[in-house]
Amino acid sequence: MADIERWIEISAPPEEVFRFVVSEWEANLGFWQEGIEAWTPLTSTPLGPGFQVEYVARMLGLGMRVRMEVRAFDAGRGWSAYSIAGPRVRGDWRFEPVAGGTRFTYRLRYGMPPPILGPWLDRTLLERRWIRAIEASLANLKTRLEAP
């Protein structure tokens, strides 16, 4: 199972960063640059336990539909979401106060089917692309939140 964790410091208060990312989850995840398409919230309630979203994870022309559900939610601090349909995926979103702003950490854990070919394909081709996509998305989030 792949395990990727990246963080970025944003010159904005944690509650502002948290509120912005929650609104993106509830709408379209527009700051995400690459790899995520057709982001569709399936739940009309505010982000919290039980909130579901469906999207297409696309890399190297391969598209996999994933349905995620928020399970652990700590208002102002972060949440974890797990796949309930599609490949095994877990995403963790964390917001921590630091001097001058917020440290936003995103952790992605996923498994690629089938058992032997999937992990090999991930190690040789996909994982590096996911890392670049995550880093670009975090930089885009920082730019959006720090813009005057």
Side-chain angles (χ1 to χ4, degrees), residues 10-19 95-98 100-102 145:
I10 301 170
S11 297
E15 49 284 345
E16 181 182 331
V17 177
F18 184 83
R19 194 170 38 253
F95 304 80
E96 301 170 82
V98 294
T102 305
L145 285 164

Side-chain angles (χ1 to χ4, degrees), residues 86-107:
R88 289 181 319 169
V89 178
R90 176 179 173 175
D92 296 296
W93 306 67
R94 298 287 171 254
F95 304 80
E96 301 170 82
V98 294
T102 305
R103 174 182 275 191
F104 173 60
T105 303
Y106 175 66
R107 184 177 186 191

Side-chain angles (χ1 to χ4, degrees), residues 33-51:
Q33 294 287 292
E34 178 184 330
I36 303 294
E37 300 175 356
W39 184 267
T40 308
L42 302 174
T43 310
S44 61
T45 58
L47 189 65
F51 186 91

